[in-house]
Amino acid sequence: CYCLSYGYSKMNISKSGYRVFSANSTTACTELAKRITERLGVELGKSVVYQEANRETRVDVKESVRGQDIFIIQTIPRDVNTAIMELLVMAYALKTSCAKNIIGVIPYFPYSKQCKMRKRGSIVCKLLASMLAKAGLTHIITMDLHQKEIQGFFSFPVDNLRASPFLIQYIQEEIPDYRNAIIVAKTPSAAKRAQSYAERLRLGLAVMHGEAHHSESDMADGRHSPPLSRTTTGHTGLELPLMMAKEKPPITVVGDVGGRIAIIVDDMIDDVEDFVAAAEILKERGAYKIYIMATHGLLSADAPRLIEESAIDEVVVTNTVPHEVQKLQCPKIKTVDVSMILAEAIRRIHNGESMAYLFRNIAVDD
C-alpha cells in the first residue's frame, strides 16, 4: 500500500505540468518564492543562479522543463540590473530547454518610473518589456505598476494585481480607531488612488498640494544652450511666445486633518524625504498619528534612519521587495504578506481559469 501511494504521489508531481523557479539564489529574495510554493503545495524548482568572478550571470537549471508551464519568481533587491540579467538569462535558458510557457512573476516591476519621455531621455520601461519578450517570456504577473499604461509596452499578456485589499485589511485590523482616520494623497496625482481607499473604508479624503523639492522635470538639461545672451547675425528665426516659468507653491493641505489619524497611500516608498516633509505638515495641521501605506517598500539609501527620526508613526509595505535589513534598522516598518494572491494567480493561469475573481471590488483608479 505504501509503495502504491508513494508511486502515485510521485506520478502527480512529475505530471503536474508546471514548475516554479526563483531567479535569485540569495536568502532574502527566495523568501517570497518559498512562501508562494508552500501555498501551492509544490517544491521550488532546482536551479543555481550565481555571479562568476567577472560578475557575469550564470544560470543552471537542474531538472527537465520540456513541455511545461514555468513560473519564474524574481523579487528585485537593491542591485536592480543584476536582478534583471538573472531573469533574462533564466528565461532564455528555459526557452532553449523547450519549456511550453514561461511566465515571469515580478511583483515589483523595475524601471517602472521611467515610463514617460523625459526631454532627451528614453522610455527604459519599454526597452525592458522588449528585452523580456525577446528572452522568451510569454506572460507576466506583477503588482501595482507605477502607471497602468505600462501594460501597453508588452507584446504578451500582463496581469497587474492589486495589493489594496491586503492594505485595507491591515488598516481595519491593526489601526485602532481607524474610523477616525482620513486618507491623504501626498500629491494631486495620487488623489484617485487615495479616493479609492477612502470610498472602500468609508473615510474622508485630504489632498496635499505643492512640492518640497525640485522634480526631475525641472532639472536643467541644456535646453538653453547656446546661451540666451549670445548675439546672432542675420535671420533670427521665429519669435515664439515667452513661456512663463513654473512657480511651485509651498505645501498645503486641502481637507481637515485636525484631531485625525492621517493615512498616506501610495504605490511605492523609495526616497522618503517627501513623506517625511508631508508628515511634518500633517502634524502641524493637527493630525495625531501618521501612517504610510505603500505596496512596494524600496526604502533606498538612509530611508530607515529618516523614518525613525520623523513624525511618521508607522510605514506599512508588502513583501514584493526584500526589506528585512531595513526593518532591523527601523521598527516602524511593518510588512503585509501578499504571497496568497500571487500563488492563486499562478494556479489560475496554469489551469486556464478566469483571473476576474482576483480583481473583484477593485476600482479602475486603484
Side-chain angles (χ1 to χ4, degrees):
C1 183
Y2 169 79
C3 294
L4 286 173
S5 63
Y6 176 78
Y8 181 71
S9 175
K10 293 292 286 183
M11 184 179 68
N12 276 351
I13 292 173
S14 63
K15 294 187 178 181
S16 62
Y18 77 98
R19 290 284 187 276
V20 180
F21 288 87
S22 174
N24 193 303
S25 297
T26 60
T27 305
C29 294
T30 56
E31 181 63 29
L32 179 60
K34 289 178 180 177
R35 285 176 177 265
I36 291 172
T37 51
E38 285 175 3
R39 290 184 179 276
L40 289 169
V42 300
E43 293 183 0
L44 196 61
K46 297 178 177 64
S47 64
V48 179
V49 183
Y50 60 97
Q51 311 297 317
E52 294 188 340
N54 62 355
R55 303 302 297 167
E56 288 185 357
T57 299
R58 183 175 290 273
V59 173
D60 290 330
V61 180
K62 300 293 187 180
E63 57 185 288
S64 175
V65 296
R66 183 178 295 272
Q68 298 189 24
D69 292 335
I70 305 300
F71 295 85
I72 309 174
I73 301 172
Q74 179 64 312
T75 52
I76 307 298
R78 289 177 179 241
D79 191 352
V80 176
N81 296 328
T82 298
I84 291 171
M85 279 306 301
E86 290 170 345
L87 180 59
L88 291 171
V89 174
M90 175 166 274
Y92 191 67
L94 294 166
K95 177 183 178 181
T96 55
S97 299
C98 301
K100 181 181 178 183
N101 294 302
I102 304 171
I103 300 96
V105 183
I106 315 169
Y108 166 66
F109 195 80
Y111 285 98
S112 58
K113 284 187 176 182
Q114 298 189 47
C115 61
K116 296 180 180 180
M117 181 62 74
R118 296 288 185 182
K119 297 176 180 176
R120 294 188 185 93
S122 60
I123 306 176
V124 183
C125 195
K126 168 63 176 173
L127 171 64
L128 181 54
S130 301
M131 292 167 64
L132 291 172
K134 192 69 176 178
L137 264 70
T138 58
H139 197 137
I140 276 183
I141 302 170
T142 187
M143 181 167 281
D144 283 331
L145 287 170
H146 188 57
Q147 297 288 339
K148 298 178 184 64
E149 293 76 12
I150 291 173
Q151 296 174 78
F153 293 161
F154 294 87
S155 57
F156 49 76
V158 176
D159 285 308
N160 182 29
L161 304 177
R162 307 294 198 276
S164 57
F166 297 91
L167 296 175
I168 287 173
Q169 183 180 19
Y170 183 93
I171 292 172
Q172 293 172 326
E173 296 179 357
E174 302 296 333
I175 299 181
D177 196 24
Y178 82 92
R179 294 288 184 188
N180 190 39
I182 185 168
I183 304 297
V184 180
K186 184 171 63 70
T187 60
S189 60
K192 287 185 177 180
R193 181 189 301 272
Q195 182 181 358
S196 175
Y197 274 72
E199 289 175 351
R200 279 183 284 174
L201 288 165
R202 311 294 192 269
L203 299 176
L205 175 67
V207 180
M208 304 188 74
H209 176 60
E211 296 287 343
H213 73 295
H214 297 289
S215 68
E216 54 192 85
S217 61
D218 296 325
M219 294 179 182
D221 71 339
R223 287 291 177 98
H224 296 305
S225 58
L228 297 177
S229 60
R230 178 177 174 180
T231 58
T232 59
T233 58
H235 182 62
T236 58
L238 296 174
E239 292 187 7
L240 298 175
L242 183 65
M243 298 295 290
M244 292 292 292
K246 276 203 306 185
E247 183 177 345
K248 294 185 180 293
I251 296 179
T252 56
V253 181
V254 181
D256 183 17
V257 298
R260 312 285 284 278
I261 300 171
I263 303 175
I264 303 175
V265 297
D266 213 333
D267 65 318
M268 70 176 71
I269 176 168
D270 189 0
D271 298 323
V272 299
E273 286 85 355
D274 287 356
F275 291 93
V276 171
E280 291 176 356
I281 295 295
L282 292 171
K283 277 286 186 182
E284 291 175 4
R285 297 293 191 278
Y288 69 91
K289 273 193 176 181
I290 299 168
Y291 291 80
I292 311 292
M293 313 290 295
T295 303
H296 310 296
L298 305 183
L299 304 169
S300 302
D302 56 349
R305 179 184 61 82
L306 294 175
I307 293 171
E308 187 65 25
E309 297 172 356
S310 72
I312 299 170
D313 291 281
E314 199 168 279
V315 173
V316 183
V317 294
T318 71
N319 56 345
T320 56
V321 178
H323 53 266
E324 293 304 315
V325 174
Q326 291 91 326
K327 286 181 70 175
L328 293 174
Q329 297 170 347
C330 177
K332 291 183 179 180
I333 301 171
K334 309 296 181 183
T335 307
V336 174
D337 180 25
V338 293
S339 62
M340 178 192 300
I341 193 169
L342 294 170
E344 181 62 15
I346 290 173
R347 190 192 67 80
R348 286 176 175 267
I349 288 173
H350 172 64
N351 292 332
E353 299 176 18
S354 171
M355 298 286 284
Y357 180 78
L358 302 183
F359 294 94
R360 69 193 191 285
N361 301 325
I362 298 295
V364 175
D365 298 320
D366 194 4

